[in-house]
Amino acid sequence: MLAGAALQVLGVIVAFLNVDATRDAIKEQIAKAGSRPSETLIDGFAYGVAGLAAVFGLVAAGLWIWMAFMNRAGRNWARITASVLFALFCSGTASGGPVFMNGTVNGFSFHITAGGTPGLLVDLTICLIGLGTVILLWLKPSSAFFNPARSPQAPFRPPYGPPPYGSPPNAPGPSSFPRPPTGPSH
C-alpha cells in the first residue's frame, strides 16, 4: 500500500511534467470546436487540470497511507474500505483515466485528462499494485489476522459487589460472604 502511495505521488509529478502536452490537447480540442481562446486562458486551463490532478493524487496517496496503517492494525473495516477504494480507482482508470475537464464548445465535446499516456501508465501500475494488495488482504492467513479467535468469556460478576445481607444462598457473589445460620439454634 505504501508503494501505491508513492506511485500516486509519482502520478502527480507526471501530471505537472506533462502540462505542456495537456495545454496542447486543450488548444487542439478547442480549435476543433472553432474557438480561438487566448494563450493565457489555455495556460490557465492546463495548470488548472494539473492542479486538480495534484489535489486528487495527494488525497489518493493519503488514503493509501491511511489504509496501510489501519490494515496493519487489523481493522476489518479498513480491509473492506481498501477493497472498495481499489474498485473505484480501477473503474476510473478503465474508463480512460480521470477526466479533469469536460465540456462542449459550439457542439464539439472535449475531454482532457492530466498526464496523458504516461499518467495512464502510472494509473495502470497503481491498479496492479492495488489488485495484489486486495488479493493479499483477503487470503486465508490475512483473514485469520483480521478475525482473531475470541478468548473464552469470563463469568459474569456483578459490578456492584457482593449481594446484600439476607440474600438467598444461590445468589451470585463471593463464597466467603457470611450467611446467617439456618435451622434451629442451640
Side-chain angles (χ1 to χ4, degrees):
M1 288 186 168
L2 295 177
L7 274 177
Q8 202 71 52
V9 172
L10 178 66
V12 170
I13 294 168
V14 166
F16 273 106
L17 290 177
N18 286 331
V19 75
D20 290 334
T22 303
R23 184 174 35 80
D24 292 343
I26 292 170
K27 187 175 182 179
E28 177 184 321
Q29 289 192 23
I30 291 177
K32 284 181 185 177
S35 181
R36 298 209 58 201
S38 69
E39 290 294 320
T40 306
L41 183 64
I42 291 174
D43 285 343
F45 279 139
Y47 284 104
V49 167
L52 283 174
V55 169
F56 286 117
L58 293 176
V59 166
L63 286 172
W64 274 100
I65 293 168
W66 180 48
M67 287 292 101
F69 284 106
M70 291 296 103
N71 279 293
R72 183 186 295 173
R75 306 283 195 268
N76 194 47
W77 63 264
R79 178 169 64 157
I80 295 166
T81 304
S83 300
V84 169
L85 290 174
F86 160 74
L88 290 174
F89 181 82
C90 287
S91 67
T93 300
S95 67
V99 176
F100 288 107
M101 189 162 53
N102 189 8
T104 304
V105 175
N106 295 336
F108 176 77
S109 64
F110 58 91
H111 308 283
I112 304 295
T113 61
T117 302
L120 187 58
L121 291 175
V122 170
D123 286 349
L124 290 174
T125 306
I126 291 171
C127 279
L128 290 175
I129 288 174
L131 177 63
T133 300
V134 168
I135 289 171
L136 289 173
L137 284 174
W138 291 98
L139 287 177
K140 192 170 185 167
S142 296
S143 293
F145 173 74
F146 285 102
N147 300 321
R150 301 203 180 247
S151 61
Q153 197 170 10
F156 174 74
R157 299 265 190 246
Y160 45 80
Y165 183 76
S167 295
N170 61 352
S175 60
S176 62
F177 187 79
R179 302 243 183 243
T182 58
S185 87
H186 290 69

